[in-house]
Amino acid sequence: MLALALLGGSVAAWVRANGWTLYYGDAEAHLNIARRLVDSRTSGLHQIGTVWLPLPHLLAAPLARRDDLWQSGMAGVIPSVAAFTLAGVFLFLALRRLSGSAAAALAGTAALALNPNLLYLQSVPMTEPLALACLCGLLYFLARFHDSRSAADAALAGLCALAGTLARYELWFVLPFAALYLLARGGARRWSSAALFSAIAGAGPLWWLAHNWYFFGDPLEFWRGEWSARAIYQRSLDRGMARYPGDGDWSQAARYYLEAARLCCGAPLFWLSPAGLAAAVKRYWAAAAFTLLVPAFYVLSLHSSGTPIFVPHLWPFSYYNTRYGIPWLLTAASGCAALAALAPRRWRAWAALAIAAAAVSPWLMKPRPDAWICWKESEVNSVSRRRMAAEAAAYLAPRYRPGSGILLSFGDLTAVLRHAGIPVRESLHVDDGLGFHAAVARPDLFLREEWVLCSPGDRACRAAARLQLGPRRYECVRILAAKDAPGIEIWRRIGQ
């Protein structure tokens, strides 16, 4: 555990020193959601929102209360590094139990923990490391249950699954398969064990449905609401955008997912996977099948849920959601352990070392961030967004008077507040509810903020534009534009 924590912490410190912590737009968003939970005009659980699951934000929120941890991004990094450490520990324990060999378990754990794409993701406020920790914990306690038939192990598996269902939606897909495994392997206690697991793990999705129903009036708001992936995709299609690769095409969905997995794992580890899977099926087929559940979920999502993966060598020749290939690391790691366990006992340590060396070889031959697909995606897709946020903050910071107020729609624009060191509570944003909606619906009556920070044409922008005449009017004082990203406009109130 100490080695994993030191590795994760050292890489996170290096990433921060290079200024890469908040390259991902999603990383910025997760960090700012955590901050607004504890720093808004109407702080509370409703500030979690509806699309992203709550656990990563709840874990980061106490840290995000501190200005320095929020502005640096470390409020979201610390839980991510902790999750990476737990993922490695749970994976080692699971593989040692399944393979019967500590050397084989080390080979699999090294293949996962030394992967630079995962190391980068655990160094930024992203949700994948937390989901991976929950998945590895679930695998470990299911493996223990196979031997113990213990209600305690079923309950611990349920707790890992519960945490996972509140971190990423792919864990929802895993739940019924885990329950069926408990039912099949539980012996005389199979029904009580499966029921205990289901009651604990199922509380996560039930809470999220209740949250969406209570705060947004629809338990499936996250799935079909205005800001759901499906709704955003449909609006893009209505504007004439071509369908995502894999939409309605199983072969293309599988192709794009496997390409992302290859780029995330590196070619040697990826091509070891088929042999590793064959060996794993022979030794522990149920665990091997378990590791394929999340990749199957992503292929299904590409086919049926309007989820895209873009890789640079396939149409449309760009980068998007390449990190969805990271779960294949768990498949590959279990295969590495199974392959190492095939070696005679006296040669097993050397076999494990050789397998681990093969897994990390592409990163040793090209030891630069440009070779890491997840880093490259975050860098390429954020150039304009980062530049405009920094320029807007440089303009706003010396002119903003505490208490004068800023109207904004949240989202990417919140990065301007973070850069400028302006607390979120100084803003009136969409998740403040009635106050925001009144201000954009009737700015003549309810808009009192001195500043409006907006993207061209959004609700805040339209509200300010309606007040360009009269004794209390707004004028656009700064426009920042880019070809490949929404621009930023800064409006200021003139008069009272």
Side-chain angles (χ1 to χ4, degrees):
M1 178 180 283
L2 180 60
L4 287 164
L6 288 173
L7 173 63
S10 299
V11 174
W14 178 66
V15 166
R16 180 188 176 188
N18 282 279
W20 302 335
T21 302
L22 296 171
Y23 271 19
Y24 266 116
D26 284 2
E28 181 81 59
H30 293 309
L31 176 70
N32 291 329
I33 291 171
R35 173 72 179 201
R36 80 184 183 197
L37 279 168
V38 294
D39 176 35
S40 286
R41 297 187 188 183
T42 59
S43 297
L45 281 179
H46 65 285
Q47 295 285 356
I48 290 172
T50 177
V51 176
W52 274 317
L53 288 161
L55 185 58
H57 312 123
L58 293 173
L59 292 175
L63 299 169
R65 186 186 294 274
R66 283 183 47 172
D67 289 344
D68 57 336
L69 296 181
W70 172 50
Q71 291 180 264
S72 67
M74 295 308 291
V77 173
I78 292 169
S80 193
V81 172
F84 168 79
T85 304
L86 284 175
V89 170
F90 279 135
L91 180 63
F92 173 78
L93 294 174
L95 293 179
R96 185 177 64 179
R97 177 173 288 270
L98 292 166
S99 67
S101 165
L106 279 172
T109 305
L112 179 134
L114 296 177
N115 181 275
N117 287 297
L118 178 59
L119 284 169
Y120 176 60
L121 287 175
Q122 67 91 50
S123 301
V124 302
M126 296 293 278
T127 59
E128 282 76 13
L130 180 56
L132 184 63
C134 296
L135 199 63
C136 290
L138 177 56
L139 175 63
Y140 171 58
F141 288 113
L142 288 177
R144 279 192 15 169
F145 180 83
H146 179 273
D147 299 324
S148 70
R149 306 296 196 273
S150 163
D153 286 331
L156 289 169
L159 287 173
C160 291
L162 169 63
T165 62
L166 295 174
R168 290 190 64 86
Y169 290 103
E170 51 263 39
L171 271 293
W172 293 31
F173 180 77
V174 172
L175 289 192
F177 297 95
L180 285 173
Y181 178 79
L182 291 168
L183 196 59
R185 296 289 183 177
R189 298 180 178 177
R190 59 183 183 274
W191 289 105
S192 60
S193 298
L196 178 61
F197 169 85
S198 300
I200 296 172
L206 287 175
W207 179 47
W208 194 236
L209 292 170
H211 169 89
N212 279 262
W213 173 78
Y214 182 80
F215 288 113
F216 302 97
D218 180 1
L220 295 177
E221 179 73 13
F222 65 92
W223 170 251
R224 61 192 179 195
E226 179 184 5
W227 300 112
S228 67
R230 290 182 66 193
I232 294 171
Y233 181 42
Q234 187 58 54
R235 287 197 293 271
S236 299
L237 291 176
D238 293 343
R239 291 194 296 265
M241 185 190 78
R243 290 191 171 274
Y244 291 145
D247 185 3
D249 185 330
W250 286 110
S251 63
Q252 285 293 90
R255 181 189 184 195
Y256 274 74
Y257 180 78
L258 290 173
E259 285 300 308
R262 181 179 66 82
L263 292 169
C264 286
C265 292
L269 181 57
F270 179 78
W271 291 115
L272 273 173
S273 298
L277 277 172
V281 166
K282 184 176 180 181
R283 299 184 68 88
Y284 38 83
W285 69 268
F290 176 88
T291 67
L292 291 170
L293 289 174
V294 174
F297 169 85
Y298 279 122
V299 173
L300 177 63
S301 298
L302 265 66
H303 178 272
S304 306
S305 297
T307 299
I309 288 179
F310 298 157
V311 291
H313 59 284
L314 296 176
W315 183 88
F317 309 108
S318 59
Y319 301 81
Y320 194 61
N321 287 339
T322 56
R323 67 188 184 277
Y324 290 174
I326 286 292
W328 192 266
L329 278 174
L330 184 55
T331 303
S334 68
C336 286
L339 286 173
L342 291 177
R345 186 176 298 274
R346 61 177 178 167
W347 297 108
R348 195 168 291 163
W350 291 105
L353 182 62
I355 290 169
V360 301
S361 60
W363 320 119
L364 296 176
M365 291 186 288
K366 294 182 178 179
R368 62 180 192 273
D370 273 353
W372 313 339
I373 189 67
C374 292
W375 181 89
K376 188 63 177 177
E377 176 188 329
S378 71
E379 191 270 338
V380 166
N381 289 345
S382 68
V383 173
S384 296
R385 174 179 54 80
R386 288 183 284 114
R387 174 185 61 79
M388 288 190 297
E391 290 181 8
Y395 178 86
L396 192 59
R399 296 170 174 83
Y400 182 79
R401 296 177 296 107
S404 57
I406 303 172
L407 179 74
L408 79 162
S409 297
F410 210 76
D412 288 344
L413 294 170
T414 318
V416 177
L417 304 185
R418 183 183 59 79
H419 277 289
I422 299 173
V424 175
R425 63 182 174 273
E426 292 282 324
S427 70
L428 178 63
H429 59 80
V430 64
D431 286 281
D432 286 325
L434 185 59
F436 174 86
H437 294 296
V440 297
R442 290 296 306 270
D444 54 321
L445 296 178
F446 300 109
L447 180 54
R448 291 290 180 265
E449 274 57 40
E450 180 177 350
W451 298 89
V452 176
L453 185 62
C454 54
S455 295
D458 72 9
R459 286 179 288 183
C461 180
R462 295 196 301 271
R466 289 166 61 183
L467 295 179
Q468 295 187 72
L469 299 173
R472 183 173 61 86
R473 66 186 188 277
Y474 286 81
E475 67 176 33
C476 187
V477 294
R478 189 75 169 172
I479 298 176
L480 303 168
K483 292 189 301 182
D484 56 350
I488 295 177
E489 293 183 2
I490 302 175
W491 294 64
R492 189 172 191 177
R493 188 183 68 217
I494 307 299
Q496 298 300 318

